[in-house]
Amino acid sequence: MDFKAYVTDKIAELTGLDRTAASNAAETPPDEKMGDLAFPCFPLAKVMRKAPAAIAAELAEKFPAGGPVAKVEAAGGYLNFFFDRAEFAKDIISGINAAGEKWGSSGEGAGKTVLVEYSSPNIAKPFHIGHLFSTAVGNSLARIYKHLGYNVQSLNHLGDWGTQFGKLISAYKRWGDKAAIEKEPIKELLRIYVKFHEEAEKDPSLDDEARMYFKKLEDGDDEATSLWKYFKDLSLVEFQRVYDMLGVKFDSYNGEAFYSDKMDEVVDILREKGLLTESDGAQVVDLSELNIPPCIILKSDGATIYATRDIAAALYRHRTYDFYKNIYVVGTPQALHFKQIFAVMKKAGWDWSSGCTHVNFGLVKLPGKAMSTRHGDVVFLEDVLNESIEKTRAIIESSSPDASDIDEKSKKIGIGAILYTFLKNSREKDIVFSWESMLDFEGESAPYCQYSYARGRSILRRAEGIDWSDADMSLAASDEEYSLVKQLGLYGDAVKAAADKNEPFLVNRYVTNLAKLFNKFYNTNPILKDDVDIETKKARLAIVDAACTVIKSALYMLGIETVESM
């Protein structure tokens, strides 16, 4: 039963208020002592021509007694509702047992496709710690939308085109060592790429050489194309190793190069629609009426740029997927770029472009400086993940030297700790890279949540032989038990809010609070002690079982895996 719907429907009947309006007005009180649901009567004052306090008192008397609502109280201008704890707990726990991992899901996305573009590293460049922001947020959003019933396509828009490949070809032909590159592909390619920039500062003619090589690549030159493919294949193998560690999978790896033959059509369409104007030799779309700088479509030399490619990609995706949403998980510095291309698509009359959304995120900074691949100032993501795994292993071995499956546990807990760090705050906040903060396992952390799950699973294993499927939930109505059950009931709201705002941290905050409430419940309500009667044990075990289901599901939404014991 939807307890909120029951209450707000009755309010609508008593007041003549629209059901949707009544539902939207209802809210959760700031203090549990004030009830489980509150309805503010202030909006009714003009209609009913009474003071809000008088309206609340009148409605409290008229509200039908019994059923799912145990008590109704008027408090000032508010109507406070106290649910029947046993009925509420029975409804939530039985619902979780029946739904399993689908608890909190919905069918709102049925028949709708959501594209999530994320990660998008540059070929032949390091997969550094900064890429984890996009990867963590994007992977989490993909899982959240899937939970809500959407057909989700995860897209990795690789940076596999552009003048940097001319630089890399030049660097390879001058200083490349094939044996060294095949031993450590990304690190060696980064080394010669950095060397190119160092040498180009002394000899600017190298930049002309790089442009020449990229022009050859654009023209389909056999040698340039062969080297480009060589760099790309090596890079993808390296990237895949990191994606496997993170449990991330993509449905498409179409990068910038894929759209290189689709840009002429975009230029033609914009020209036919009369949207292109000349500016200093370049072809641009004027966006001054929106107070946005003009969007360059063709440079003065006739070459296309990122904007042209991204517009071509959006058009291709519309035709291929007929998407409901096309989400770009890309850093905040690209905000203007997306404003420009979205505005161009709207001016082109493409109504579907309203489904395109830029989901921005902050920067990952090194203490005192920014990361730069040109100068080699990067922190490799794989190094961070491995360091976290090794630190976790040391902790496990020191506290539980006889623990089983140490390799698996170290990986899940260590990687989970890093992902949690990136998803614990609003995505727009910057992160200053710090080994200490990244690998802090104390307090609010993934290991804390994983431990709560493992503790619950341990209790259930020790309860072998007890069947709690028919538990009498009226025996689990203490404040700690009821608070935990209410939190379990809010999971679907948390997932929905995370999707509506494209903010995974809302699920992170939810599961952290759930873990806290679970531990409070566990510490104040004995479960398997001899002096606890069997029926009470069943009720409490049913809550433990449901809590484990929801903790595991919520952590999965964040890309974090659980362990059965810690």
Side-chain angles (χ1 to χ4, degrees):
M1 171 187 280
D2 188 331
F3 280 61
K4 179 181 177 181
Y6 171 82
V7 169
T8 54
D9 282 353
K10 293 295 183 185
I11 290 174
E13 290 175 14
L14 292 171
T15 63
L17 195 63
D18 177 77
R19 278 181 164 75
T20 301
S23 179
N24 291 340
E27 57 191 48
T28 301
D31 187 336
E32 287 187 347
K33 294 178 181 178
M34 299 168 69
D36 301 305
L37 191 70
F39 182 81
C41 297
F42 305 98
L44 296 171
K46 286 185 178 180
V47 179
M48 299 180 70
R49 298 189 177 184
K50 293 180 181 179
I55 296 172
E58 181 181 323
L59 291 176
E61 287 189 15
K62 290 183 177 180
F63 202 91
V69 177
K71 184 172 63 174
V72 183
E73 288 183 351
Y78 286 86
L79 200 59
N80 293 334
F81 296 88
F82 296 79
F83 298 153
D84 181 297
R85 290 189 172 191
E87 285 298 314
F88 186 81
K90 179 181 178 181
D91 185 72
I92 295 299
I93 300 304
S94 63
I96 294 172
N97 288 339
E101 294 180 1
K102 292 186 178 181
W103 176 252
S105 63
S106 75
E108 74 167 59
K112 297 175 181 176
T113 297
V114 170
L115 310 181
V116 187
E117 176 194 307
Y118 61 99
S119 196
S120 306
N122 290 317
I123 292 299
K125 290 186 180 179
F127 199 144
H128 57 70
I129 188 67
H131 289 117
L132 183 57
F133 221 150
S134 173
T135 307
V137 171
N139 183 51
S140 180
L141 287 178
R143 294 183 178 198
I144 286 168
Y145 277 102
K146 282 181 183 177
H147 200 63
L148 294 174
Y150 292 91
N151 170 34
V152 176
Q153 296 291 307
S154 293
L155 313 179
N156 197 338
H157 188 75
L158 297 170
D160 60 359
W161 203 246
T163 55
Q164 70 265 29
F165 287 97
K167 296 176 182 179
L168 196 58
I169 291 171
S170 173
Y172 178 80
K173 290 175 71 68
R174 288 173 176 272
W175 311 293
D177 181 333
K178 190 170 184 179
I181 288 174
E182 294 192 352
K183 183 180 179 181
E184 290 188 300
I186 302 298
K187 290 185 178 180
E188 185 62 17
L189 290 173
L190 174 63
R191 183 189 71 79
I192 63 174
Y193 184 75
V194 171
K195 183 174 179 63
F196 177 89
H197 283 278
E198 291 172 347
E199 296 300 321
E201 288 181 3
K202 306 172 191 174
D203 181 5
S205 68
L206 286 178
D207 287 324
D208 294 329
E209 181 176 285
R211 281 189 284 271
M212 178 268 293
Y213 278 123
F214 181 58
K215 183 66 168 60
K216 283 189 172 185
L217 180 59
E218 287 187 303
D219 293 340
D221 176 79
D222 288 342
E223 181 189 32
T225 301
S226 177
L227 286 174
W228 171 80
K229 189 175 186 304
Y230 175 61
F231 299 149
K232 182 174 179 178
D233 290 345
L234 285 175
S235 299
L236 286 176
V237 171
E238 295 289 290
F239 295 162
Q240 191 59 52
R241 189 167 63 247
V242 177
Y243 290 135
D244 288 343
M245 292 177 74
L246 295 170
V248 171
K249 295 180 180 179
F250 292 96
D251 299 295
S252 169
Y253 284 86
N254 290 339
E256 293 176 44
F258 179 80
Y259 302 102
S260 61
D261 64 350
K262 298 171 177 59
M263 292 184 284
D264 287 345
E265 182 189 5
V266 169
V267 176
D268 291 341
I269 291 173
L270 297 180
R271 183 174 286 122
E272 288 170 8
K273 290 179 178 288
L275 295 177
L276 292 183
T277 59
E278 186 175 325
S279 176
D280 296 327
Q283 294 292 307
V284 307
V285 176
D286 180 28
L287 303 172
S288 57
E289 75 276 14
L290 301 173
N291 292 319
I292 299 175
C295 181
I296 300 174
I297 302 299
L298 292 174
K299 293 191 291 186
S300 57
D301 62 359
T304 56
I305 64 168
Y306 288 116
T308 327
R309 278 194 283 274
D310 277 348
I311 293 171
L315 181 59
Y316 171 84
R317 292 174 184 178
H318 164 66
R319 291 169 174 171
T320 304
Y321 301 104
D322 188 24
F323 57 77
Y324 171 69
K325 285 186 181 181
N326 180 22
I327 296 171
Y328 299 83
V329 185
V330 181
T332 300
Q334 296 299 314
L336 176 59
H337 167 76
F338 284 105
K339 280 184 181 179
Q340 289 175 311
I341 65 168
F342 295 165
V344 170
M345 292 190 288
K346 186 175 181 180
K347 288 190 76 166
W350 297 340
D351 294 339
W352 49 264
S353 66
S354 61
C356 295
T357 304
H358 175 209
V359 172
N360 61 319
F361 57 87
L363 299 173
V364 181
K365 302 176 180 178
L366 298 174
K369 59 182 177 180
M371 284 187 287
S372 169
T373 53
R374 290 189 178 191
H375 299 99
D377 297 325
V378 295
V379 176
F380 284 76
L381 175 55
E382 189 173 8
D383 292 344
V384 175
L385 298 177
N386 285 328
E387 179 77 12
S388 186
I389 292 169
E390 288 307 309
K391 179 178 175 65
T392 303
R393 170 185 282 278
I395 293 172
I396 294 174
E397 289 178 338
S398 64
S399 60
S400 306
D402 298 325
S404 60
D405 302 320
I406 290 182
D407 287 344
E408 179 186 358
K409 290 176 182 175
S410 299
K411 179 181 177 183
K412 289 180 177 180
I413 298 170
I415 292 176
I418 301 297
L419 288 171
Y420 184 99
T421 301
F422 276 78
L423 299 174
K424 70 179 180 180
N425 295 311
S426 170
R427 54 182 161 74
E428 294 186 13
K429 287 190 175 182
D430 292 344
I431 291 178
V432 176
F433 179 81
S434 160
W435 284 108
E436 183 178 346
S437 63
M438 293 280 175
L439 305 182
D440 179 11
F441 292 178
E442 301 298 322
E444 296 184 357
S445 64
Y448 175 77
C449 296
Q450 289 166 313
Y451 177 71
S452 299
Y453 173 83
R455 172 184 270 183
R457 294 296 301 163
S458 174
I459 294 169
L460 297 177
R461 285 193 296 272
R462 288 190 284 121
E464 185 179 357
I466 301 176
D467 179 8
W468 54 85
S469 60
D470 61 345
D472 179 359
M473 299 313 299
S474 67
L475 299 174
S478 70
D479 289 346
E480 294 80 17
E481 289 164 319
Y482 189 56
S483 293
L484 176 55
V485 169
K486 284 205 297 182
Q487 183 72 1
L488 292 171
L490 293 173
Y491 181 46
D493 292 341
V495 175
K496 178 71 166 62
D500 289 345
K501 298 180 180 179
N502 289 313
E503 281 283 18
F505 99 93
L506 293 173
V507 173
N508 189 307
R509 185 171 65 188
Y510 168 85
V511 72
T512 302
N513 289 335
L514 177 59
K516 288 178 180 177
L517 289 170
F518 175 78
N519 284 299
K520 187 176 181 180
F521 152 77
Y522 171 84
N523 290 322
T524 55
N525 294 272
I527 299 172
L528 295 176
K529 287 188 176 180
D530 293 340
D531 58 351
V532 179
D533 66 89
I534 186 63
E535 295 304 320
T536 301
K537 285 180 180 177
K538 288 181 179 180
R540 291 175 179 171
L541 285 168
I543 293 177
V544 173
D545 194 5
C548 286
T549 296
V550 179
I551 291 172
K552 182 175 183 178
S553 177
L555 289 176
Y556 175 81
M557 294 299 125
L558 303 173
I560 299 172
E561 295 186 80
T562 52
V563 293
E564 293 298 305
S565 62
M566 286 178 72

